[in-house]
């Protein structure tokens, strides 16, 4: 059991009469991609929000590397080693690609309280940012303003910023959202290699990507995990077919 | 050299050339006008850090301006009346020494900004504006009722305070002091924008969620920016009081908070020399249009409307175009 990196233990969350998360216990093990799938409104975003800290669960706890982080704020969880990407790109649009990556490196360094020295002159930060950009193939556009990037490039930058943190677990909210077939394939290849570095909790609608990548899949329906298993197990699961896959295939 | 640096250089040269000309032509009033513009630019440069980089729409920056003014007024008042500020448990005398006055103005402004910031940064948007406005009103009415220091009438200080090596009563020397302070603050602002803190603050304005996601607390960054901003505006207040040799509750008024914001918007929000362009324009309009009609604010209103509708980058944006990316 020592290889569990991220775990939720019976987390529940209700909004009035609506139960968005009902006693959800999932875990993410070293070296794996664990995909969370489910129809719209199943509570995937609520789950992510509780794991990342922007929502507090009503009950249950979240553990990162065996440490209870339920009481941690979002930025504390990031410092504890959680690297997330957003469904809708959350990037500083007026800034350059390099500046966005530097922001991640700066967060990882934990030393933003420097008012005089230029950030671009900080070679350690810069090396870290540039390395992350090179890995996603954005090193050629480092000085472009983020607002001038294509949608696909923004998705890549979103991942690059998470890379600069060198997290112990990634939480990715629909990294393929809005990507074309080619972009989606490229991202799939990239994430495939990334899992050795840190495991990925992947929320994704793109089923081809999920089936290609996931070591395990959890299916969320009406705030409950109705099944967790390998790709083959999930494909064969009657309840899953009824609740979810039946609608799409 | 980009168009913006050229524009900035021209502004700065103007701030040196015009008073020099006035000195040669023996026009002390022009020097006083220039001093007023420089001090207002300093106050606006303070707000520009909170508003321009941090996105904090503070309608309470007159609080810091007033604190600076009253720090000067109270210390100088006790010095000129030879009465100690307090005599128990230890004696604190007043002072006419500018560096000490500036230090007191900075420290008290910083403390006030810290408290106001902690409380108001729990909110955003319109609520943030309202809370900062409410603090402004609290200080304003407190100053009005503080009869020991002139209440509604304010206080006159008979002789301008001292700075070592200068005759501060000579308009050009006092002007030089104010300009030096402005230049120092502008250099600091320029460095701050390119610093790690500036990068993070700039992003905190655009996407706070991103800051959290990389492990930086956006509220804490904004709080520090608010304190820095308050200190600079507080220093401007101390100089402004020294320029007029007079302090009154109007320094705390919400109209004045609005005026500082107008300077920033007019000059160009977030632009390094925006506050300077704004303040120079404002003082020029006040002088020339104010000479024509008592209702010159109507014209200021029209100009402001035009800037907001058609030139979002303010005067700087109009002359120098869109801001180049930072590297």
């Amino acid at each position: 059991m020592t290889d569990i990196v991220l775990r939720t233990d019976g987390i529940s969350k209700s909004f009035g009469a609506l139960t968005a998360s009902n006693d959800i216990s999932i875990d993410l093990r070293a070296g794996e991609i664990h995909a969370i799938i489910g129809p719209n409104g199943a509570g995937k975003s609520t789950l992510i929000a509780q794991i990342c800290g922007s929502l507090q669960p009503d009950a249950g706890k979240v553990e990162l590397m065996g440490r209870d982080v339920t009481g941690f704020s979002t930025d504390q969880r990031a410092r504890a080693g959680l690297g997330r990407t957003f469904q809708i790109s959350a990037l500083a649009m007026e800034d350059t690609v390099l500046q966005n990556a530097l922001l991640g490196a700066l967060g990882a360094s934990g030393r933003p309280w420097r008012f005089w020295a230029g950030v671009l002159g900080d070679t350690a930060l810069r090396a870290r940012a540039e390395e992350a950009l090179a890995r996603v193939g954005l090193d050629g556009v480092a000085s472009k303003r983020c607002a001038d990037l294509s949608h696909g490039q923004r998705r890549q930058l979103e991942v690059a910023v998470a890379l600069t943190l060198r997290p112990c677990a990634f939480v990715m909210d629909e990294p393929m959202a809005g990507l074309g077939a080619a972009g989606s394939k490229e991202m799939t290849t990239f994430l495939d290699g990334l899992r050795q570095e840190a495991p990925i909790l992947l929320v994704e609608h793109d089923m081809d990507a999920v089936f290609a990548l996931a070591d395990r899949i959890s299916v969320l329906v009406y705030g409950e995990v109705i099944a967790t298993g390998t790709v083959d197990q999930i494909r064969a699961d009657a309840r899953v077919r009824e609740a979810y896959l039946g609608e799409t295939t | 050299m980009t168009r913006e640096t050229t524009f900035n250089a021209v502004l700065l040269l103007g701030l040196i050339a015009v008073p020099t000309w006035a000195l040669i032509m023996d026009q002390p009033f022009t020097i006083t006008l220039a001093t007023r513009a420089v001090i207002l630019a300093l106050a606006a440069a303070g707000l520009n850090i909170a508003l321009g980089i941090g996105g904090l729409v503070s309608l309470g920056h007159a609080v810091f301006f007033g604190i600076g003014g009253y720090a000067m007024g109270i210390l100088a008042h006790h010095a000129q009346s030879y009465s100690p500020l307090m005599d128990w448990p230890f004696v604190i005398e007043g002072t006419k020494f500018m560096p000490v006055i500036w230090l007191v103005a900075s420290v008290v402004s910083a403390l006030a900004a810290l408290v106001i910031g902690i409380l108001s940064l729990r909110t955003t948007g319109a609520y943030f504006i309202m809370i900062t406005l409410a603090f402004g009103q609290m200080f304003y009415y407190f100053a009005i009722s503080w009869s020991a220091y002139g209440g509604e009438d304010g206080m006159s200080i008979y002789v301008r305070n001292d700075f070592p090596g200068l005759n501060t009563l000579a308009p050009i020397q006092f002007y030089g002091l104010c300009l030096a302070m402005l230049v120092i603050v502008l250099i600091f602002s320029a460095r701050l924008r390119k610093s790690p803190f500036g990068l993070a603050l700039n992003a905190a304005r655009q996407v706070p969620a991103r800051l959290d996601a990389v492990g930086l607390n956006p509220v804490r960054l904004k709080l520090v920016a608010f304190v820095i901003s308050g200190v600079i505006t507080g220093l401007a207040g101390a100089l402004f009081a020294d320029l007029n040799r007079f302090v009154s509750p109007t320094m705390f008024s919400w109209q004045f908070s609005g005026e500082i914001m107008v300077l920033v918007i007019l000059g160009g929000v977030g632009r390094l020399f925006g506050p300077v362009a704004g303040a120079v324009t404002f003082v020029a309009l006040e002088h020339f249009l104010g000479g024509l009609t008592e209702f010159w604010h109507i014209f200021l209103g029209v100009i402001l409307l035009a800037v907001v509708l058609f030139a979002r980058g303010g005067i700087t944006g109009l002359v120098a175009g869109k801001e180049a990316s930072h590297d």
Side-chain angles (χ1 to χ4, degrees):
Chain A
M1 290 295 276
T2 50
D3 66 341
I4 289 180
V5 176
L6 177 67
R7 190 163 84 95
T8 70
D9 185 10
I11 58 175
S12 298
K13 180 78 189 174
S14 306
F15 300 103
L18 175 77
T19 306
S21 301
N22 187 6
D23 194 22
I24 297 179
S25 296
I26 52 168
D27 57 41
L28 180 67
R29 299 171 193 160
E32 76 166 350
I33 292 180
H34 186 163
I36 311 281
I37 62 171
N40 286 327
K44 300 188 295 289
S45 298
T46 310
L47 177 62
I48 294 282
Q50 291 171 93
I51 291 172
C52 293
S54 50
L55 267 183
Q56 270 298 317
D58 298 332
K61 57 184 182 175
V62 179
E63 280 177 10
L64 184 62
M65 303 296 280
R67 182 150 72 131
D68 186 350
V69 297
T70 320
F72 282 29
S73 62
T74 315
D75 58 312
Q76 285 172 323
R77 289 184 203 200
R79 287 199 294 277
L82 202 59
R84 75 171 297 190
T85 68
F86 292 86
Q87 181 182 3
I88 298 165
S89 297
L91 300 163
M93 288 295 167
E94 295 171 18
D95 290 352
T96 64
V97 170
L98 179 61
Q99 283 171 323
N100 272 281
L102 276 170
L103 193 64
L106 182 63
S109 80
R111 301 196 306 124
W113 309 111
R114 286 172 292 155
F115 305 88
W116 190 257
V119 69
L120 291 172
D122 187 325
T123 45
L125 284 189
R126 208 168 161 154
R128 195 160 176 162
E130 280 167 349
E131 183 210 316
L133 289 179
R135 286 187 59 191
V136 299
L138 285 179
D139 42 342
V141 292
S143 57
K144 251 194 180 181
R145 258 181 212 255
C146 194
D148 300 330
L149 292 184
S150 70
H151 177 80
Q153 287 173 317
R154 286 181 199 170
R155 303 308 299 171
Q156 289 171 312
L157 180 53
E158 187 79 28
V159 174
V161 177
L163 287 177
T164 60
L165 301 175
R166 295 183 192 151
C168 48
F170 287 103
V171 176
M172 298 195 175
D173 197 355
E174 297 198 32
M176 320 286 177
L179 291 181
S184 194
K185 203 165 175 196
E186 208 175 297
M187 184 67 87
T188 304
T189 314
F190 183 76
L191 296 185
D192 197 15
L194 192 60
R195 80 180 91 192
Q196 286 315 320
E197 207 168 304
I200 305 170
L201 190 68
L202 178 70
V203 172
E204 189 49 66
H205 268 302
D206 181 335
M207 282 303 137
D208 292 340
V210 167
F211 287 143
L213 283 172
D215 298 292
R216 288 189 299 153
I217 298 175
S218 289
V219 182
L220 203 59
V221 177
Y222 294 123
E224 267 178 80
V225 176
I226 61 165
T228 297
T230 62
V231 171
D232 292 335
Q233 286 168 337
I234 293 298
R235 276 186 202 267
D237 193 297
R239 282 174 309 164
V240 175
R241 297 187 73 94
E242 183 195 345
Y244 186 50
L245 295 177
E247 297 175 7
T248 55
T249 51
Chain B
M1 204 145 122
T2 64
R3 265 166 74 190
E4 183 160 357
T5 20
T6 315
F7 175 68
N8 296 348
V10 167
L11 266 178
L12 199 56
L13 280 176
L15 286 179
I16 295 168
V18 172
T20 311
W21 168 84
L23 181 69
I24 295 165
M25 302 302 284
D26 197 23
Q27 301 271 355
F29 181 65
T30 306
I31 300 180
T32 303
L33 272 187
T35 314
R36 188 175 149 78
V38 163
I39 294 172
L40 290 180
L42 186 63
L47 179 63
N48 202 25
I49 290 177
L51 175 66
I53 313 179
L56 301 171
V57 185
S58 163
L59 201 48
H61 256 53
V63 166
F64 313 119
F65 198 70
I67 285 175
Y70 272 80
M72 174 279 186
I74 291 170
L75 289 169
H77 169 77
H78 284 282
Q80 77 186 8
S81 64
Y82 301 103
S83 58
L85 204 67
M86 67 184 215
D87 42 23
W88 192 90
F90 42 83
V91 179
I92 297 182
E93 302 279 358
T95 178
K96 300 280 291 175
F97 189 56
M98 280 190 194
V100 174
I101 290 171
W102 295 344
L103 183 69
V104 172
S106 306
V107 171
V108 180
S109 296
L111 287 175
L114 187 68
V115 173
I116 295 174
I118 287 172
L119 293 170
S120 53
L121 280 168
R122 302 165 68 96
T123 65
T124 53
Y127 298 99
F128 180 84
I129 301 176
M130 285 303 123
I131 291 186
T132 52
L133 176 65
F135 274 107
Q137 292 303 85
M138 276 169 51
F139 278 81
Y140 176 66
Y141 285 107
F142 178 78
I144 281 185
S145 58
W146 204 5
S147 54
Y149 297 112
E152 205 166 355
D153 299 329
M155 279 182 288
S156 282
I157 303 302
Y158 306 121
V159 181
R160 194 168 282 158
N161 296 302
D162 309 316
F163 191 86
L166 291 182
N167 171 17
T168 52
L169 278 170
I172 194 71
Q173 299 203 18
F174 183 62
Y175 175 77
L177 196 60
C178 294
L179 184 61
M181 185 89 94
L182 177 65
V183 169
I184 290 169
V185 164
L186 289 176
I187 292 171
F188 172 72
S189 303
R191 300 295 304 227
L192 184 128
R193 280 150 193 279
K194 292 181 189 286
S195 72
F197 177 78
L199 177 82
L201 181 63
N202 196 28
R205 174 185 42 126
Q206 300 175 54
V207 268
R210 164 55 65 203
L211 271 281
D212 278 319
V214 299
L216 297 171
N217 184 329
V219 174
R220 211 170 292 164
L221 286 157
K222 288 177 181 175
L223 180 62
V224 171
F226 195 69
V227 170
I228 294 173
S229 167
V231 168
I232 295 171
T233 304
L235 281 171
L239 289 173
F240 192 76
D242 238 328
L243 171 68
N244 301 321
R245 277 166 274 163
F246 176 67
V247 249
S248 78
T250 26
M251 286 184 77
F252 280 119
S253 68
W254 71 269
Q255 287 93 334
F256 190 75
S257 291
E259 210 168 289
I260 313 179
M261 201 179 293
V262 165
L263 300 182
V264 174
I265 294 169
L266 195 62
V269 180
R271 309 297 280 259
L272 181 60
F273 271 65
V276 183
V280 167
T281 312
F282 182 86
V283 170
L285 287 175
E286 183 183 49
H287 179 61
F288 294 111
L289 292 177
L292 296 176
T293 163
E294 210 178 311
F295 306 108
W296 73 276
H297 281 100
I298 295 176
F299 299 102
L300 177 68
V302 171
I303 292 170
L304 194 63
L305 213 59
V307 163
V308 172
L309 288 176
F310 305 113
R312 297 295 285 274
I315 295 167
T316 315
L318 214 55
V319 179
K322 253 183 102 175
E323 193 161 22
S325 52
H326 288 283
D327 50 357

